[in-house]
Amino acid sequence: MNFTRWSARLPRTQRRIAARADRGARRPKPAAAAGGGSVPAARGESADPSGRGEPPAAAPSDAASVAAVPTLDGLSAHDLLGKVPALVAVVYGPEHRIAYLNDTYVELFGSRTPGTPAGQGLPELRELGLLPLMDQVLRSGKPRTVKSRQVPVGGPATTPGPRQEGAVPGPGRSRHGYYTFTCSPIEMAAPKVVAPAQSADERAGEGAVDGAPVDGSPVDGSSMDGSIREAAVRKAVAVPEAVATETVATDTGTATEPVRGVLVFGADVTDQVESAERLRASERLQREAAVTLQRSLLPQELEQPDDLRVAATYQPGGTDAAVGGDWYDVITLGAGRTALVIGDVMGRGVRAAAVMGQLRTAVRAYARLDLPPHEVLQLLDGLAAEIDPHQIATCVYAVHDPNENRLVYASAGHLPILVRDPDGTVRRASEPTGPPLGTGGWLHTTGSVPLGPGASAVLYTDGLVERRDKDIYDGVAALERVFAGATGSPQVMCDRLIRALGITAEHDDDVAVLVLQHPARTGHDAELFHNAALELLGGVEAAPRARAFASGVLASWRFPMELRDLGVLAASELVANSLQHGTPPMRLRLRRTDRRLIIEVTDGDDHLPRRRRAEPVDEAGRGISIVATIASSWGSRRTPGGGKAVWCEFALPAG
């Protein structure tokens, strides 16, 4: 019946009741509950006879709904654990005797005889090292887990030891599996024997029956026959948990008692482990490619200057760390001067290594211009911004001049150079010279630190001194202490610094270290290193004085006549060029090492000469060409105080 068109005539409460009744009438009625009772309407649709809007009392249908939910009380351990696609074994007692193995376990390892100790019947658990863990679980009552244990199946190594007679081996698999095992403490219901009721005459005449005391007291299950006990334990495992603690009556008068055991659950994680292995292999290949690229971009063999002993080492981060952009370099500039470089590109991986390679190549190109250190870094700063505007790098560029016994350097946000004097005092070359490369818009400056004979210096990247739990300058202080006591050759010092600061193969960052020594030479070695200088005041007599000075010095150094003549010619041409194009003050300097003769002329004009082709009718322009032809190498540079220096080198004959 539709009450809609009558709603205006009905009171408000009656209209609501009528509407609910109308909706209930249109719904299909549910089937009657068992026992003939009908199921009332839902709570939201039931009528409110009181008319006060109060919620009605709970209907009997609520209890019927709860009763309709299925329970697990009727399932045994075989029903539950037998369907689990995981390894399940139940053992009991201090010897971990076998009580139950599910189908998955039997399929993988083969069947076992119940009641056998796990050390004999389950050799696979012994091979996996689970027996001590099961002992611990049994003692502590707390579960324990071991992850990703390899379970080889199907080979001789996995064949269980002496199986019980009639045991059926599992089919095996063609590959290893990985399982995560969890051992949990459990309690099972095991029977204890109670002697049946007897008359006094029977007890007096027969004494004990089946090993039970004559007074009918319970017998400990351990005194039972082994087969009876194992059968009872298997039966106890199979009974539902809800009734596991109830007394189970038998013909022999048995009752239950708790028995402590261990449930061994092995979840198959082979797919996860193999996926992780594939991921690690891929990361390892990428890291090896980055390390190969990194090492190929570093100098394969360091240039060895005449006046310095140099060694360097590079160690990539551990296997869990990506390769960074650390680099170092040693560049001979000519005239006995040497450039030493170390840098660190922020970031990790192939990209950082590629940026590092570009910067290192650029440093070598700029070094050939023989520019001051701060100008080299200024050029690198612009280049780094062009390579990658989001990439920055730190760098130290230092130049050693044996004539001045100083290390002139510029730093772009890098850690300070450490210099150790001959007396063991360590000083930091920590003059602020500029921000990291790639920031742009900054002007770098040049600093200097003494580096005389007997002194040593170390250049390094932050991986050597930086730790997550310490300030980086604490690491620099530790390096100072270690460097103060480090002795030996530069390579030995590199290795000692690496070891003393705890750098291992698993270190989480790249490490680059460059050590240089300015040895103090004595005896025969000192005879191989000489310096001689002449101040030139200008005038027409300057050139003859220079030739006479060069001839006398080269003769005193016992050079062959041919080399002596070439040296005098080169000195004459360089002095003549300085007299024609330079300004006072002028100086001629001769220097010999164990490997080369160096001739250098300085003056006050900063215009650098260049080699050019002279025409047949030209009266000038041939001096530099003559020097470049007869010498092994030549070059020019601007001096810090203004002016220039032009030099050439002659290689000394071996022996």
Side-chain angles (χ1 to χ4, degrees), residues 356-372:
M356 176 274 289
Q358 296 177 75
L359 291 179
R360 176 177 175 262
T361 302
V363 169
R364 295 192 69 87
Y366 296 148
R368 297 305 176 191
L369 301 176
D370 214 341
L371 299 173

Side-chain angles (χ1 to χ4, degrees), residues 108 148-151 153 173 175-180 267-278:
L108 197 62
S148 304
R149 289 294 177 90
Q150 187 179 28
V151 180
V153 179
R173 298 193 315 184
R175 62 186 179 94
H176 297 314
Y178 293 88
Y179 287 80
T180 292
D268 190 348
V269 294
T270 304
D271 293 340
Q272 296 91 317
V273 172
E274 291 179 349
S275 297
E277 285 291 338
R278 288 193 295 269

